[in-house]
Amino acid sequence: MKSAVIVFPGSNCDRDLAVAIEQVTGRAPAMVWHRETELPDGTDFIALPGGFSYGDYLRSGAMAARSPIMRAVADAAGRGVPLLGVCNGFQVLTETGLLPGALMRNAGLNFVCRPVPLKVENSQSLFTSQYDAGEDIVIPVAHHDGNFQADAETLDRLEGEGRVAFRYLDEVNGSARGIAGILNDSGNVLGMMPHPERALEKAHGNTDGRRLFEGLLETVAA
Amino acid sequence: MKARVFVTLKPGVLDPQGKAIHHALEGLGFSGVEDVRAGKLIELSLADGTPDADIEEMCRKLLANTVIENFRIERLETAA
């Protein structure tokens, strides 16, 4: 599997994500700087990392969403290349319009940084096929702007089409309907606030994030 | 010329920041504050004759996230 991790000024989980991808797929991803205009040939998985791209100026993810590389990323996603956005990466995906809704300041206004229990709502997607439907897992979150909001019609559509991938089991940040991660309509773009790359090895405390990368590898390699 | 862009949360969109400011005002003893909504003011210095349509496009493409925010443009014409 040929992966690419996009690096924005202010990204800080790009290395964690690269380590996770290399551990699971056996191949280090290309690290692609935001000023690039093309992805390496044959890229078959793209990841947008967590962090504070452009210092969260204007809105979290707003500036990164308009950076040169994002045109190539959107084109690739349009062709069906799997695209994962974690935390700030999720914010970038909503800002580009690749995913609906917006991620607003946490309802409690505090930065939330702890492992949180999640329910796997969709175990059929190319990211979640290694989980059981309705399974409870634990993945860490670390964010200030993770409060997912969309209008009722959009929320109903996400639920109805099975596009809610993960849901918080506890109150974390005020997200509408406890939504922690969503898929696009064709299922190849996943945005999620929890960090699967931080739950990959025993030393992390749990390995519930590992199966996301394993599922992806299996789908892409198939 | 200059233009000011006011970016505000759409009605009905939860504003945790506004709520916190509201509580702080009450804590300071100001009674009668019914609601607080926080937004942004962005000042643009523009080439003379920049059309309204361009400023609106700037708002739609970057300055406001129209999923959750409204914007209002105020042009401040400089003396000719």
Side-chain angles (χ1 to χ4, degrees):
Chain A
M1 190 163 98
K2 216 172 155 186
S3 313
V5 172
I6 310 301
V7 185
F8 302 102
S11 294
N12 64 11
C13 300
D14 43 325
R15 192 178 169 278
D16 294 19
L17 209 45
V19 168
I21 292 168
E22 184 170 2
Q23 273 197 19
V24 174
T25 69
R27 186 165 172 177
M31 306 304 280
V32 181
W33 185 234
H34 72 120
R35 290 251 175 110
E36 300 288 331
T37 52
E38 281 175 32
L39 293 159
D41 278 345
T43 298
D44 47 21
F45 168 51
I46 308 162
L48 306 180
F52 300 87
S53 57
Y54 296 85
D56 281 348
Y57 286 176
L58 195 62
R59 297 175 303 275
S60 300
M63 313 301 286
R66 279 83 183 170
S67 61
I69 191 63
M70 285 308 295
R71 200 164 291 180
V73 170
D75 286 351
R79 293 193 309 269
V81 173
L83 169 60
L84 169 69
V86 173
C87 198
N88 189 222
F90 185 10
Q91 295 160 345
V92 173
L93 289 174
T94 58
E95 279 285 342
T96 53
L98 285 167
L99 290 174
L103 291 146
M104 305 190 57
R105 182 52 41 106
N106 292 343
L109 295 175
N110 287 324
F111 191 93
V112 180
C113 183
R114 59 182 159 91
V116 297
L118 299 173
K119 184 178 197 158
V120 180
E121 292 285 357
N122 176 336
S123 62
Q124 309 287 313
S125 80
L126 57 91
F127 301 94
T128 55
S129 60
Q130 300 289 309
Y131 298 102
D132 297 325
E135 186 181 347
D136 293 349
I137 59 173
V138 174
I139 308 262
V141 295
H143 60 247
H144 213 162
D145 297 314
N147 178 355
F148 181 78
Q149 296 296 329
D151 57 51
E153 193 186 322
T154 304
L155 293 169
D156 288 344
R157 198 173 65 239
L158 288 171
E159 304 255 22
E161 293 173 358
R163 288 166 55 192
V164 176
F166 301 103
R167 207 187 298 271
Y168 301 113
L169 287 168
D170 299 339
E171 174 52 44
V172 173
N173 52 27
S175 282
R177 303 188 194 177
I179 289 172
I182 56 168
L183 295 154
N184 69 340
D185 54 0
S186 40
N188 68 309
V189 179
L190 170 67
M192 60 192 292
M193 290 313 295
H195 287 266
E197 78 279 12
R198 294 190 190 178
L200 207 84
E201 12 182 320
K202 277 188 186 146
H204 291 160
N206 89 69
T207 58
D208 283 345
R210 192 175 186 93
R211 280 178 288 159
L212 187 145
F213 298 98
E214 288 172 346
L216 192 59
L217 175 64
E218 195 175 273
T219 320
V220 173
Chain B
M1 59 164 279
K2 283 184 192 281
R4 285 180 173 165
V5 174
F6 297 87
V7 181
T8 51
L9 285 173
K10 286 185 175 174
V13 173
L14 199 77
D15 179 11
Q17 197 178 209
K19 252 194 188 118
I21 296 168
H22 191 182
H23 288 153
L25 287 172
E26 285 174 339
L28 289 170
F30 293 102
S31 58
V33 180
E34 287 172 3
D35 193 23
V36 178
R37 308 281 284 171
K40 287 186 195 102
L41 164 63
I42 299 166
E43 284 190 335
L44 303 169
S45 299
L46 299 160
D48 287 343
T50 302
D52 284 353
D54 281 12
I55 308 175
E56 275 175 35
E57 192 72 359
M58 292 177 205
C59 292
R60 260 188 222 100
K61 280 198 163 161
L62 180 64
L63 302 181
N65 178 344
T66 54
V67 174
I68 46 167
E69 294 169 330
N70 287 327
F71 61 85
R72 183 168 62 80
I73 299 163
E74 187 183 287
R75 288 174 75 107
L76 308 170
E77 300 295 344
T78 40

